[in-house]
């Protein structure tokens, strides 16, 4: 499998085999790191990390992965580069491509990462846009593989929350052929374009895709219950009211976990999560709505079923796999 020079801008940039290859490589790199072996496969390479939005996991994963393999990173945080303000994204891509061997981009705009990818001449990786989060999907699939004895094609996953926020998961399930039930309020369905794309992919992979408003239907027999943050941290409190009123029946709680009927069911969340009042926003939510959790209750988040921190750690190993495989030198 040769991924040298490739971009990762959206989930569909990978074939099923390429996706699973990266997950396999990540598992090997994880073993290697845990055994204390270092290979310096990216020695002497330079990587730019463009973050137009904040990040804990994605930034840390890129930085640690690069350092583990001997590469250097330059962090360009919100407002650090002229990007799109005083210099076009296309010009920025052509400049950074002359200096760096790979570029990570996080920001709202999928167009921005696509323009970087088309013009940099070096691999560009999407570290989250409003449309796609492909590196998260690699970590999620590695985590599912770690926590299920079933072949991926027999795994079932129940997603609760805003259907439009599940685009990457929907297309990943469709690409890899697992059973995904999206359970969302009727007012927050998956994007029709993404659902159509997923159904086409599912026709080839055998994935079973369900979109429902009914938690009992979505949860029955699930191996994984998955949710995502309801409130983007940049959203002002005025937009919270509508989100909370639309989504409040879709909190993952003990009843939802029980509705799976699966004693081994696992809980997944890409994080960050508003599951208690230990954050500024969590406290504001409690004062505004009397809710001490949003998308998942604290008892589920802290339960033995929760694999969220394995999922977070797997961001490191999978992002390292992406960099190693796309930046790999000729043997
Ligand atoms: N899941 C995720 O992308 O986390 P960060 O926002 O911390 O990078």
């Amino acid at each position: 499998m040769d991924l040298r020079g490739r971009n990762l801008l959206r989930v569909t940039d990978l074939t099923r085999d390429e996706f699973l290859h990266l997950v396999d490589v990540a598992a090997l790199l994880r073993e290697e790191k845990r055994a204390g072996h270092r290979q310096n496969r990216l020695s002497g390479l330079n990587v730019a990390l463009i973050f137009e939005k904040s990040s804990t996991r994605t930034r840390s994963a890129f930085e640690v992965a690069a350092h583990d393999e001997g590469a250097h990173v330059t962090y360009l945080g919100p407002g650090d580069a002229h990007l799109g303000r005083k210099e076009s994204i296309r010009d920025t891509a052509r400049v950074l491509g002359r200096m760096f061997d790979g570029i990570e981009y996080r920001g709202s705009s999928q167009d921005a990462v696509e323009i970087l990818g088309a013009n940099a001449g070096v691999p560009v990786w999407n570290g989250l846009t409003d449309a796609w989060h492909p590196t998260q999907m690699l970590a999620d699939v590695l985590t599912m593989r770690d926590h299920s004895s079933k072949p991926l094609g027999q795994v079932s996953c129940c997603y609760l929350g805003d259907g439009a926020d599940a685009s990457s998961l929907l297309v990943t399930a469709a690409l890899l052929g697992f059973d995904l039930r999206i359970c969302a309020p009727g007012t927050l369905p998956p994007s029709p374009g993404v659902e159509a794309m997923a159904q086409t992919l599912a026709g080839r992979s055998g994935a079973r895709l369900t979109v429902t408003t009914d938690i009992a239907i979505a949860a029955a027999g699930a191996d994984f219950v998955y949710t995502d943050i309801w409130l983007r941290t940049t959203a002002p409190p005025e937009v919270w009211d509508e989100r909370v009123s639309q989504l409040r029946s879709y909190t993952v709680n003990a009843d939802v976990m029980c509705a799976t009927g699966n004693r081994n069911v696992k809980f997944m969340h890409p994080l960050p999560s508003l599951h208690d009042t230990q954050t500024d926003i969590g406290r504001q939510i409690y004062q505004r709505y009397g809710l001490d959790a949003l998308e998942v209750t604290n008892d589920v988040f802290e339960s033995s079923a929760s694999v969220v921190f394995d999922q977070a750690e797997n961001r490191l190993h999978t992002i390292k796999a992406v960099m190693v495989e796309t930046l790999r030198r000729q043997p």
Side-chain angles (χ1 to χ4, degrees):
M1 186 80 56
D2 188 353
L3 296 175
R4 276 174 297 171
R6 291 269 296 274
N7 293 332
L8 180 55
L9 308 179
R10 44 180 76 201
V11 175
T12 47
D13 284 344
L14 298 171
T15 65
R16 177 182 182 278
D17 287 349
E18 288 168 348
F19 192 115
L20 294 174
H21 170 73
L22 287 171
V23 172
D24 285 342
V25 170
L28 290 172
L29 293 171
R30 182 174 62 187
E31 269 179 42
E32 193 179 277
K33 183 174 171 80
R34 288 178 179 168
H37 299 146
R38 292 181 72 113
Q39 301 286 338
N40 285 326
R41 294 174 184 86
L42 306 179
S43 166
L45 300 186
N46 288 288
V47 169
L49 303 179
I50 305 173
F51 279 85
E52 298 211 278
K53 291 182 166 181
S54 59
S55 163
T56 297
R57 280 145 288 275
T58 310
R59 176 184 174 178
S60 304
F62 270 101
E63 292 218 14
V64 174
H67 293 148
D68 280 356
E69 292 294 342
H72 298 280
V73 298
T74 297
Y75 174 73
L76 296 166
D80 281 351
H82 301 307
L83 198 73
R85 290 173 286 275
K86 219 161 74 178
E87 187 164 34
S88 70
I89 297 168
R90 184 162 176 257
D91 289 355
T92 308
R94 290 183 288 179
V95 171
L96 297 183
R98 300 279 187 117
M99 299 185 186
F100 291 95
D101 302 288
I103 301 169
E104 179 276 353
Y105 173 83
R106 167 174 290 198
S108 296
S109 167
Q110 181 67 23
D111 283 349
V113 79
E114 304 269 353
I115 294 168
L116 284 171
N119 292 284
V122 297
V124 173
W125 313 293
N126 180 345
L128 177 62
T129 62
D130 287 350
W132 299 106
H133 202 357
T135 63
Q136 180 71 53
M137 291 303 108
L138 291 164
D140 292 354
V141 170
L142 177 58
T143 309
M144 287 180 182
R145 232 180 51 173
D146 291 340
H147 287 282
S148 175
S149 53
K150 296 178 182 175
L152 200 53
Q154 291 172 26
V155 161
S156 58
C157 178
C158 160
Y159 169 94
L160 254 64
D162 182 341
D165 287 346
S167 297
S168 291
L169 189 62
L170 185 55
V171 170
T172 299
L175 185 69
L176 302 186
F178 61 87
D179 176 355
L180 178 68
R181 302 91 177 261
I182 302 275
C183 186
T187 50
L188 296 172
S191 140
V194 170
E195 195 179 344
M197 182 198 305
Q199 291 295 359
T200 303
L201 288 167
R204 291 180 218 140
S205 69
R208 295 161 309 287
L209 306 177
T210 307
V211 178
T212 178
T213 57
D214 188 323
I215 294 175
I217 290 173
D223 300 296
F224 296 93
V225 174
Y226 191 119
T227 189
D228 200 348
I229 194 161
W230 292 351
L231 303 182
R232 301 288 155 210
T233 44
T234 47
E238 307 82 71
V239 305
W240 295 357
D241 297 355
E242 192 182 1
R243 294 284 290 169
V244 171
S245 100
Q246 286 174 307
L247 287 162
R248 65 188 298 165
S249 320
Y250 291 83
T251 298
V252 176
N253 56 26
D255 289 342
V256 172
M257 299 299 278
C258 206
T260 65
N262 178 358
R263 289 173 52 176
N264 296 317
V265 64
K266 300 288 185 260
F267 170 71
M268 295 179 70
H269 192 311
L271 306 180
S273 166
L274 292 170
H275 59 93
D276 60 20
T277 54
Q278 302 296 307
T279 60
D280 292 342
I281 294 181
R283 284 186 285 277
Q284 288 176 56
I285 295 293
Y286 184 72
Q287 281 160 11
R288 201 171 174 98
Y289 309 106
L291 298 173
D292 58 10
L294 285 184
E295 69 273 3
V296 56
T297 56
N298 198 46
D299 58 329
V300 171
F301 186 91
E302 296 292 355
S303 72
S304 57
S306 175
V307 295
V308 298
F309 296 109
D310 290 347
Q311 201 179 344
E313 181 193 325
N314 283 336
R315 299 297 310 284
L316 166 63
H317 309 299
T318 44
I319 281 172
K320 189 186 286 180
V322 169
M323 285 200 289
V324 163
E325 289 297 281
T326 57
L327 297 180
R328 194 149 50 89
R329 298 178 178 96
Q330 292 281 1

